[in-house]
Amino acid sequence: MAQWLVAYKKADFKRIGERFGIDQVTARIIRNRGLTEEPDIRRFLSGGMDDLFDPHQMKDGVLFADILAEKIRAGKHIRVIGDYDIDGVMSAYIWKKALLSCGAVVSAVIPDRVRDGYGLNSKLLADAASAGVDTIVTCDNGIAAIPEIAFARSLGMTVLVTDHHAIPFEEEEGGKRFLRSEADAVVNPHQPDCGYPYKELCGAAVAWKEVQLLYERMGYGQEAADVFLENVAFATVGDVMPLTGENRILVKEGLKRIHHTKNLGMLSLIAQCGLTPEEIGCYHFGFVLGPCINAAGRLDTAELALELLFAGDAKSASLLAAELVARNNERKEQTNLGVEAAVRLAENGGYLSDTVLVLYLPEVHESIAGIIAGRIRERYYRPTYILTKGKDGVKGSGRSVEEYSMYERLCRCSDLLTRFGGHPMAAGLSLPEEKIGELRRRLNEDSPLSPEVLTEKLHIDVPMPVDYVSMELVRQFELLAPFGKDNPRPLFADRNLSVSRMWLVGKNKNVLRLSLISEQKKPVAGIFFGDTEVFFAYMRERFGEAALEAALGGRENALRLSVVYVPKINVFRGEETLQFEIVDYR
């Protein structure tokens, strides 16, 4: 069972509440997000475009813009090279569209996941040189492509890098030695000597910052780049970046703009998913629209998604969007089969004693390895690598837990790998098949994790009786949005709730509704979207079959619950009521 951890950070919540016109509960949540100073609280609650940091603070930012402006004016052929995920596609769109608006001679390429692999490679660069390309602009990749950039320079090309991935390093006595390529300019806030204050930008946000500087050089003004904020927001959520600091503002501003988007491809994708622009939120970026963009790069080529964003008429946009949705449905089926195979291997192959799971599924398509790794990570709550058989050896993707930095631990095994890269929470790698066992052994020997650490944790913001919750308070919580990584939707806890009735609803009868009574005898509506069979088994074991059947029949019973919950406003036939979503229970 998950550990319930209650936040006990201290502050003068009454004063904060009065200062910002918010409830003390809302003030507690803000403190739990690590904010203590009034300027930071104000920025969190009402920050806007004026609160964004100056792109001139990016290391190499001005140099990059100067070189690119000179190339544009000289009519040189510029090639944008992106990546096949949401961030890479949005980054490539931003760069190509911005360069076209500056009158550049520009083409864009997104590597094929199977044929080319991630980021730059010698074939892509040789093809560019053969096509007369003078300048390579990378986005969402390039920081680790040290030999590839050296090759491009040997072909006489200028290379400009925008990226946000971790800087490669070598372990030395006394610490790390960070590596740098021969690129003419590198813009990445993670560079150790970069003074940009906020480090957690996605690749599209880094590209957007640099486009601001380019537009300034070309006489357009930085604000002309704001048209790309919807793409920056999409990429920030889709790449699971922290929704803190500057990212919160970028996503809020981007959501405002996508509600009025004029991009025909975006409009068609939204429509194909049964949505309207006005209702798009972070959830839709991450779990509805985003997977459709990703599906193109998983099962074929992500250039289809880029083509969608450049669609010039409604008919072609609609056809492209329908194709992406169909591919996403195909991807879902393949993913479910892959997850089943991974569970069988983990549970029958003696892997569950490992604190880092390294599972080799040669028949699984490499494009869905990351999704499967994420599902297995959720199931067993431990870092998980899913490895598959690729054209040139084994490829894999990993998804981590908050206590374990994947990229850093892979650096210590770099002698086993042909390629790797990523973040603390996710990574990609390639290696010879015969090295899989050694990788598993070394990752686990080097693992700092213990069984105690490898238990899912629910961070409860406030132990709050359901009686305290009001419509006004729930609406106030929306000031804390957008929710996502490092800024989760607030969780609360209450105990000794009586169950007066519960019943299954939904097409597949897999959603549980509950009529609950608080300790103060107040009736409240509950809903549970989790595994109802597990819930019933727990209730049966704790209270007995008779009590469970009585609750399901709406009769008097002995069922009592302590719950972790999210309060929401339910709208049914125009009537608003409070509803408490049960996240966990005891």
Side-chain angles (χ1 to χ4, degrees):
M1 299 182 81
Q3 288 182 289
W4 292 6
L5 303 176
V6 179
Y8 285 112
K9 295 179 179 179
K10 295 182 178 179
D12 187 343
F13 301 118
K14 184 173 184 293
R15 185 188 64 79
I16 294 172
E18 290 172 349
R19 172 70 180 82
F20 291 97
I22 56 177
D23 192 282
Q24 290 188 45
V25 170
T26 309
R28 283 179 178 270
I29 297 165
I30 291 170
R31 175 65 186 91
N32 291 345
R33 301 297 178 267
L35 302 170
T36 56
E37 302 299 321
E38 285 198 4
D40 295 329
I41 296 172
R42 183 203 62 76
R43 192 177 299 114
F44 185 87
L45 290 171
S46 57
M49 295 294 289
D50 290 342
D51 295 290
L52 297 178
F53 297 114
D54 186 345
H56 290 87
Q57 294 176 271
M58 285 280 191
K59 175 180 168 57
D60 279 6
V62 171
L63 173 64
F64 188 118
D66 286 343
I67 294 172
L68 201 50
E70 183 181 330
K71 298 291 185 179
I72 293 168
R73 293 185 181 112
K76 301 295 186 183
H77 186 170
I78 300 164
R79 176 157 293 176
V80 175
I81 298 182
D83 187 26
Y84 39 69
D85 67 356
I86 296 170
D87 195 13
V89 169
M90 295 297 162
S91 302
Y93 172 75
I94 289 169
W95 264 125
K96 184 178 179 182
K97 187 77 172 177
L99 286 165
L100 285 171
S101 71
C102 292
V105 178
V106 58
S107 57
V109 170
I110 295 182
D112 183 282
R113 183 188 290 266
V114 176
R115 185 185 66 240
D116 301 315
Y118 165 77
L120 295 176
N121 64 56
S122 56
K123 181 182 180 302
L124 285 175
L125 294 169
D127 289 348
S130 298
V133 170
D134 174 88
T135 300
I136 299 289
V137 173
T138 79
C139 46
D140 193 33
N141 73 87
I143 197 66
I146 294 172
E148 290 82 3
I149 290 173
F151 175 65
R153 292 295 305 276
S154 75
L155 296 175
M157 288 188 286
T158 298
V159 182
L160 305 171
V161 172
T162 58
D163 201 354
H164 73 122
H165 291 93
I167 311 300
F169 65 87
E170 292 179 350
E171 294 274 8
E172 291 185 340
E173 270 191 48
K176 302 173 182 176
R177 182 175 68 86
F178 291 97
L179 307 178
R180 182 179 169 99
S181 70
E182 296 177 24
D184 295 83
V186 176
V187 176
N188 182 334
H190 289 291
Q191 293 179 96
D193 50 350
C194 179
Y196 196 79
Y198 187 74
K199 305 297 184 181
E200 302 302 325
L201 299 174
C202 69
V206 175
W208 176 70
K209 289 281 180 179
E210 191 56 43
V211 166
Q212 286 183 301
L213 295 180
L214 175 64
Y215 275 12
E216 187 179 76
R217 291 296 177 280
M218 301 301 291
Y220 296 153
Q222 291 186 6
E223 67 283 352
D226 291 353
V227 67
F228 299 118
L229 280 168
E230 65 186 60
N231 308 97
V232 173
F234 200 145
T236 301
V237 176
D239 214 37
V240 198
M241 301 307 294
L243 292 191
T244 59
E246 196 165 50
N247 279 347
R248 273 177 52 76
I249 298 172
L250 291 173
V251 172
K252 283 200 292 185
E253 294 294 331
L255 285 170
K256 290 178 189 175
R257 286 160 174 81
I258 205 164
H259 293 163
H260 307 282
T261 183
K262 291 180 171 56
N263 185 285
L264 294 177
M266 194 76 78
L267 286 168
S268 291
L269 183 60
I270 290 169
Q272 285 287 337
C273 292
L275 300 166
T276 61
E278 294 78 13
E279 65 185 302
I280 299 302
C282 286
Y283 172 81
H284 304 100
F285 280 157
F287 297 102
V288 182
L289 305 175
C292 296
I293 297 293
N294 273 338
R298 293 188 191 283
L299 302 184
D300 193 356
T301 168
E303 294 203 359
L304 186 68
L306 189 60
E307 188 180 348
L308 173 74
L309 295 174
F310 278 102
D313 61 86
K315 182 178 179 180
S316 60
S318 182
L319 290 172
L320 289 165
E323 178 66 19
L324 290 180
V325 171
R327 292 186 188 189
N328 189 45
N329 290 333
E330 181 184 350
R331 187 273 309 164
K332 288 178 185 176
E333 293 177 16
Q334 292 188 16
T335 298
N336 290 335
L337 293 173
V339 169
E340 292 171 7
V343 169
R344 286 195 300 271
L345 178 60
E347 296 187 352
N348 301 329
Y351 287 86
L352 294 185
S353 59
D354 292 354
T355 60
V356 180
L357 294 178
V358 180
L359 304 175
Y360 183 37
L361 301 171
E363 301 306 315
V364 164
H365 196 283
E366 65 186 65
S367 66
I368 58 173
I371 305 175
I372 297 170
R375 298 272 185 87
I376 299 302
R377 182 268 315 274
E378 290 171 8
R379 186 181 183 105
Y380 301 112
Y381 197 75
R382 63 195 70 187
T384 300
Y385 291 95
I386 298 295
L387 307 180
T388 69
K389 196 174 188 68
K391 185 176 66 173
D392 300 313
V394 172
K395 291 186 176 182
S397 290
R399 298 295 182 268
S400 195
V401 297
E402 61 186 62
E403 300 88 353
Y404 183 87
S405 174
M406 274 194 159
Y407 181 76
E408 187 168 335
R409 298 290 165 173
L410 281 181
C411 283
R412 302 182 185 187
C413 301
S414 59
D415 57 301
L416 301 176
L417 309 174
T418 50
R419 294 190 78 175
F420 71 99
H423 312 283
M425 293 297 290
L429 67 158
S430 302
L431 73 162
E433 188 171 359
E434 63 271 17
K435 299 289 182 67
I436 293 174
E438 178 70 2
L439 178 67
R440 176 189 174 192
R441 181 186 68 79
R442 282 173 54 179
L443 285 173
N444 278 280
E445 286 181 355
D446 185 44
S447 171
L449 304 172
S450 64
E452 295 75 28
V453 170
L454 291 174
T455 303
E456 185 179 4
K457 299 164 185 65
L458 284 178
H459 296 276
I460 296 165
D461 284 288
V462 185
M464 180 170 65
V466 293
D467 307 84
Y468 186 81
V469 181
S470 65
M471 294 269 201
E472 181 184 357
L473 183 61
V474 176
R475 288 192 177 97
Q476 191 177 105
F477 292 156
E478 290 305 310
L479 292 172
L480 310 176
F483 301 116
K485 185 177 184 298
D486 292 350
N487 184 42
R489 188 173 287 277
L491 293 180
F492 307 96
D494 197 6
R495 60 186 181 181
N496 292 331
L497 298 173
S498 304
V499 180
S500 61
R501 181 186 170 219
M502 56 186 185
W503 66 102
L504 292 169
V505 297
K507 182 179 177 181
N508 300 314
K509 297 295 183 184
N510 58 349
V511 175
L512 185 67
R513 286 195 175 276
L514 305 95
S515 292
L516 304 169
I517 306 294
S518 73
E519 281 194 304
Q520 301 301 316
K521 307 305 179 185
K522 176 182 177 180
V524 295
I527 191 165
F528 177 63
F529 295 103
D531 191 322
T532 55
E533 290 304 315
V534 172
F535 178 88
F536 290 153
Y538 177 80
M539 293 293 116
R540 191 177 292 115
E541 179 181 349
R542 186 174 172 193
F543 297 103
E545 182 71 35
L548 176 63
E549 290 301 320
L552 287 168
R555 301 188 301 276
E556 187 175 347
N557 62 82
L559 267 59
R560 299 292 182 273
L561 281 174
S562 294
V563 298
V564 176
Y565 69 88
V566 176
K568 295 184 175 180
I569 296 174
N570 183 49
V571 181
F572 182 67
R573 292 178 179 171
E575 183 180 350
E576 293 185 337
T577 56
L578 279 175
Q579 180 172 270
F580 296 81
E581 181 182 334
I582 297 172
V583 176
D584 202 10
Y585 54 87
R586 293 281 190 272

